[in-house]
Amino acid sequence: FIQYTTPLAILVFYIFLIKKQKKYYLNIFLLLSIISTTFLISATTASRGLIFILFLQFISGYIFYKDLIPRSKKIRFIFISIILLYAFSIYTSSVTVSRFGVQGQYESLVYYFGHSMLVFNNGLTDLIKNFGNGAFFFDWYLNFFGFEPFNVAKSGANVGTQFYTFVGALYFDFGPFYTFVLALLIPVIFTKITRKKHISLADLYLLFMYLNHLLLGVLVIGRGYAFPWTMTILIYYFLKFKK
């Protein structure tokens, strides 16, 4: 529930930030609820990725709204963000040290953020022989309904648990030609939304999720990502219906 509603909560947080209101504590409470729930989930699993995802989502929201936020609020928000970033940096460093030791923390972070495109080149595109034809994308549904899931080993690719970018996720299913075609067609859909005279919260939410998909996908998009996009579309139509 938290995973699929946090992006919407972040958009609402920025809307509150823009509006003139006397009850500032409501927005502070919303901000704390977004951060604390994600942090607690991260702490219980010793995860660095969830914190990084949350950080990117806030940056994405700021990009959307930065020209509308009053200067005084913007200064306070940036100040609070720096403090939170420092706190989360300590947490991330602690998790990294606990996993890899003091000597290995720097190499671990460089590897974490730097290996995805190398894996895409060396472990995926140069070795894969069999494509999923959509099975990688619908992997969650195949498992749920008892069908045979996509087998990465049988495809010939050697990626293991390493990152391979969102282009790699498409490549698993469709190979070079159709991946290239989709890379041209998919942005056209979202570009049409940006050209609307009035962008509703539902439209903004869809654009927001697409932007985050691209930002996070520089690292990896997990198999079965049809399900998260199903949830995104359901929330989109809920917002559209509720206006």
Side-chain angles (χ1 to χ4, degrees):
F1 177 79
I2 291 168
Q3 181 181 354
Y4 296 118
T5 56
T6 292
L8 178 59
I10 290 172
L11 288 179
V12 173
F13 165 77
Y14 279 109
I15 290 172
F16 284 172
L17 205 60
I18 290 167
K19 290 191 172 187
K20 294 180 180 179
Q21 53 179 339
K22 295 180 180 179
K23 298 178 180 179
Y24 292 110
Y25 68 88
L26 290 175
N27 211 24
I28 293 172
F29 179 76
L30 178 59
L31 177 63
L32 289 174
S33 69
I34 293 168
I35 293 172
S36 61
T37 48
T38 302
F39 176 74
L40 288 171
I41 294 171
S42 299
T44 55
T45 57
S47 169
R48 296 173 295 177
L50 289 175
I51 295 294
F52 178 65
I53 290 170
L54 184 67
F55 177 65
L56 280 185
Q57 286 175 337
F58 270 106
I59 289 178
S60 303
Y62 184 78
I63 291 170
F64 276 30
Y65 288 107
K66 63 183 177 64
D67 295 330
L68 300 173
I69 301 172
R71 178 177 170 78
S72 59
K73 289 184 178 180
K74 188 181 292 186
I75 292 171
R76 287 198 296 269
F77 175 71
I78 292 174
F79 178 72
I80 293 170
S81 298
I82 292 171
I83 294 174
L84 290 172
L85 181 61
Y86 178 71
F88 285 140
S89 297
I90 294 174
Y91 165 79
T92 302
S93 179
S94 301
V95 172
T96 305
V97 169
S98 69
R99 288 185 179 182
F100 306 101
V102 176
Q103 299 298 324
Q105 63 173 322
Y106 176 73
E107 290 81 1
S108 168
L109 290 173
V110 170
Y111 178 76
Y112 187 89
F113 292 108
H115 77 278
S116 60
M117 295 182 188
L118 297 175
V119 173
F120 174 79
N121 288 335
N122 299 324
L124 177 56
T125 58
D126 64 330
L127 295 176
I128 192 168
K129 300 294 186 297
N130 303 304
F131 301 107
N133 299 315
F136 189 87
F137 179 69
F138 289 106
D139 184 83
W140 189 91
Y141 289 104
L142 293 176
N143 278 299
F144 184 79
F145 290 108
F147 293 99
E148 184 179 353
F150 178 74
N151 192 317
V152 173
K154 287 183 179 180
S155 72
N158 183 23
V159 295
T161 58
Q162 300 175 102
F163 299 161
Y164 40 77
T165 78
F166 66 88
V167 182
L170 290 173
Y171 203 93
F172 265 125
D173 271 327
F174 307 112
F177 177 74
Y178 290 108
T179 295
F180 181 74
V181 171
L182 287 169
L184 293 176
L185 292 178
I186 292 173
V188 172
I189 300 170
F190 291 93
T191 302
K192 287 183 178 180
I193 298 175
T194 62
R195 289 176 178 171
K196 289 182 177 180
K197 290 183 178 180
H198 174 72
I199 298 179
S200 65
L201 180 59
D203 292 331
L204 193 65
Y205 173 75
L206 200 60
L207 287 171
F208 186 66
M209 295 304 293
Y210 177 60
L211 175 60
N212 280 282
H213 182 85
L214 298 181
L215 285 173
L216 300 174
V218 173
L219 298 175
V220 66
I221 294 295
R223 57 196 294 163
Y225 60 102
F227 182 75
W229 272 106
T230 300
M231 296 301 295
T232 296
I233 292 168
L234 287 174
I235 293 172
Y236 167 77
Y237 278 109
F238 171 76
L239 293 171
K240 205 170 183 65
F241 174 74
K242 293 296 289 183
K243 305 280 179 135

